[in-house]
Amino acid sequence: MTKTSNRPENSIKGGSDDILNTSIFKLAWPIFVQALLSMCLGYADTLMLSGYDQTAVGAIGNANQILGFLTLAFTIISSASGVIVSQYLGAGKKDKIGQIYTLCIAFNLVLSLFISLLIFFGSEALLHLINTPDVMLPNARGYMRIVGGFIFTQAVLDTFSRIFQSNGKTIFGMVISLGMNILNVGGNYMFLYGPLKNLGLGASGVAVSTTVSRIVALIVAFVLFSLFIDGNLSIRYLKPFPTNVLKTLLRLGIPTAGENISYNVSQLFVTSFVNTLGIVAINTKIYANILSNFAYLYSISVAMATTIIVGHAVGAGDYDFAYKRVNKTMRGALIVSVCIACVNFLISPITFSLFTGNSDVSDIRTQIVSLGSQIMFIAIFLEMGRTSNLVIINSLKAAGDVKFPTYLGIASMWGCSVVVGYILGIVCGLGLRGIWIAMAADEIIRGIVVAIRWRRGTWRGKCVVDDEPAAELPTVEG
């Protein structure tokens, strides 16, 4: 294997050489479990409510669409921290690690507190923006005010998760997610079917259990950071304020998060289109998203594991190593994720029947099962493009190539998912099927373009370590 430069001597405990020599499987399997558990945490509310109230299912789905979009503001810094920490660790430089940790957590805490207030007082207005049906408003509003009012806990927790991953401690996120799910499911049962059922809180009770589980998880994350991560958190790192570090984080984070922000904004428009198609389309979309997300769990886990290695390799100047690792990862992820999507399609009559098993209206149940099977067939093609996007775009960002994925995403998402989706789904009358075809085209187009960019090597030489100005840092005792 040809190296573009020699790896530096690494003095950091669990340093870059350890990361580069670690198998993808060892890094990826805890991320896989964490992703599964994180997805379950969001969907546990929906699934447990499906046997309680179908209207509440749609309400929670609409509320989570908005909450998911607003939480992307936090990824501006947390995603940038993953890039810069990995590259600094790869370069063997630990002089600014504590300062980066402190700044990321402090910035996200302040930003998320502001957003928490926005959600609490503006939940109803936000729900009206995506045409949430009036019958769903009370449940959606109550859920948003509780979960959204404490959304700052998720912001700080996400930052800790990025720090753990960049240090190769992927198992920490898995353990935290497992605990969150146990607490959340237990709380949901208590409010919906257990001794607290008589309170009649419904969706609001589910929101309470979700929030409590996140608060506990945040406490655990802080303890794990203090015990096992080489670095400190201290207000002293912010005096004087590290303007240069913040500029670097924003320079990386704004375009890095831009692709995700663009996607979620486009999905708000898509949701608005779907909400005009009736409850069959609304609930089919929610259930189809649940099943489709299982198809990409493997891809996202190996993609995130690969970005850890790419960041360390780029920091060490070993671009050839990063290039080959990404190519190998993408081939395997594409095969597995498409196979899962095919299985999803084959069993979709069964799975959609399970989702709607307690529906009081048999005609609605039949329509959801039929439409759901058609959507899962289209999802096979969607998965082909999405897998390439997950692996390559995240690797481009880890290498410091952060602007191109954003520009591409804006053009493709809005041109295909929104414009073509509206034309096919609403104007041409294909409904949810037309919208899903447009989203598949979006993913496939972007997947092809980023694959070409990765092969051309435009991302080489974009390491941010050498660009970061040196600064005098205070000494902080651990």
Side-chain angles (χ1 to χ4, degrees), residues 22-23 51 58 92 96 156 241-242 358 392:
T22 301
S23 69
K96 284 194 174 182
V156 179
F241 190 79
N358 292 321
I392 299 179

Side-chain angles (χ1 to χ4, degrees), residues 95-103 106 232-243 245 471-478:
D95 54 325
K96 284 194 174 182
I97 294 298
Q99 186 181 68
I100 293 169
Y101 293 160
T102 302
L103 180 61
N232 300 291
L233 296 177
S234 175
I235 196 68
R236 296 181 185 178
Y237 283 131
L238 305 182
K239 298 178 181 179
F241 190 79
T243 304
V245 178
E472 186 77 19
L473 295 177
T475 300
V476 179
E477 296 298 329

